[in-house]
Amino acid sequence: MLRTAAVVGAGLIGTSVALALSSRGVTVYLSDREPMAALTASALGAGHAEDPPGPVDVAVLAVPPADIAATLAAVQSRGLAHAYTDVASVKARALAEIEESGCDTGSYLGGHPMAGGERSGPLAARADLFEGRVWALVPTRDTSDDTWRTVRELVTLVGATPLVLDAAGHDRAVALVSHAPHLVASLMAARLEHAAEAEVGMAGQGVRDVTRVAAGDPHLWREILAANASSVADVLTELATDLDEAVAALRALAADDDGTASVALTALLARGTAGHGRLPHKRGTPRGGYVTVSVLVGDQPGELARLFTDVSAAGVNIEDVFIDHAPGQITGMVELLVTAENAGRLTRSLRVPSTVMAR
């Protein structure tokens, strides 16, 4: 049974791990190269900002990918824990460095929780950050059974779902679903840097959704992208081919050449729809997904609570919710995702226009 843990690195992920473990009765010890970060995490209830009195059950290395091998060597040399894992988002290079450095690979099992946010630091941490999230596990060639049991227990305790991958497969996967999308979001957001105020003022939820993660720490993301550069470049190369095709089609349409251009553009958009449809949904998602019921609400205290109370009174479960704020206005649009069978009933109950949109 997991009773003690050490978290090395008190940023968003490390502090969230510590909060989650502490909330489940695990005694957690915190450290960070910036002592104030560990003290802040401790003040939030994440654990003790001090060295443990003896080896803990597991040590979680919440440091950048480039620092994993050196950090693992350092904590193993002083016997910090019986088992070691990490939360780095890139694995192949770190694993190669770990093996080259002579670390004890039997007591190490690589990890990567697919969770985070655009904010960083201990103040952005949450104990429920990993609930229902995938947590990739990337073993070495000789990860011991005891290490497997300990790290899997940690993943279960924080509410995540383990997924076992090899290092190369992991890095290809995160390049596709995380690293390349972040870079694309940043490049799209960069179009706004010198845009006219009137243009930026037209921004709606679409551009906010596309660029949300671009608010992440550029220095941290530079390290992540550098550690997985080849896999990210492969994804962007394929994307560049599609972008070239889209540009060519749009240029042709602008010149009133509607021959094959319209067909090509439609095919690209259809591929996007098909790809989006493959994204995982919660268990029990109905065939065809959900529909959206949009409700205009005022920007005053209690408005969202009133809306959710009304939805509950209608006997409808909200599957997901999005809020589109109206800049400079005292209203906002709340999009409620519900099952198709509940959409009509909810629309009538809330007395909103009967326009729903499939999602």
Side-chain angles (χ1 to χ4, degrees), residues 175-176 179-185 187 225 228-244:
L176 177 63
H179 300 166
H182 186 99
L183 186 53
V184 171
L187 295 175
L225 292 169
N228 202 22
S230 180
S231 294
V232 175
D234 289 343
V235 175
L236 293 181
T237 297
E238 295 179 353
L239 178 62
T241 299
D242 285 344
L243 284 174
D244 287 340

Side-chain angles (χ1 to χ4, degrees), residues 12 14 27 68 85 88 131 193 203 208 219 239 278 314 334 340:
L12 165 63
T27 301
I68 292 296
T85 187
E131 291 286 346
E193 183 179 11
R208 295 177 192 278
H219 301 289
L239 178 62
R278 293 200 62 200
V334 178

Side-chain angles (χ1 to χ4, degrees), residues 87-183:
V87 297
S89 63
V90 183
K91 287 289 172 270
R93 180 183 296 184
L95 186 55
E97 292 174 348
I98 285 170
E99 292 174 343
E100 291 171 2
S101 66
C103 292
D104 173 17
T105 54
S107 63
Y108 168 77
L109 173 57
H112 175 208
M114 294 303 293
E118 62 272 20
R119 297 174 59 211
S120 59
L123 293 176
R126 304 190 337 252
D128 63 351
L129 186 65
F130 311 107
E131 291 286 346
R133 301 287 187 166
V134 170
W135 190 302
L137 294 177
V138 182
T140 68
R141 287 172 292 186
D142 54 355
T143 297
S144 71
D145 290 343
D146 286 343
T147 299
W148 268 109
R149 283 191 290 269
T150 300
V151 176
R152 286 183 70 98
E153 184 179 356
L154 181 153
V155 172
T156 301
L157 278 176
V158 302
T161 301
L163 175 64
V164 181
L165 296 167
D166 63 79
H170 168 275
D171 289 358
R172 287 193 302 269
V174 293
L176 177 63
V177 303
S178 178
H179 300 166
H182 186 99
L183 186 53

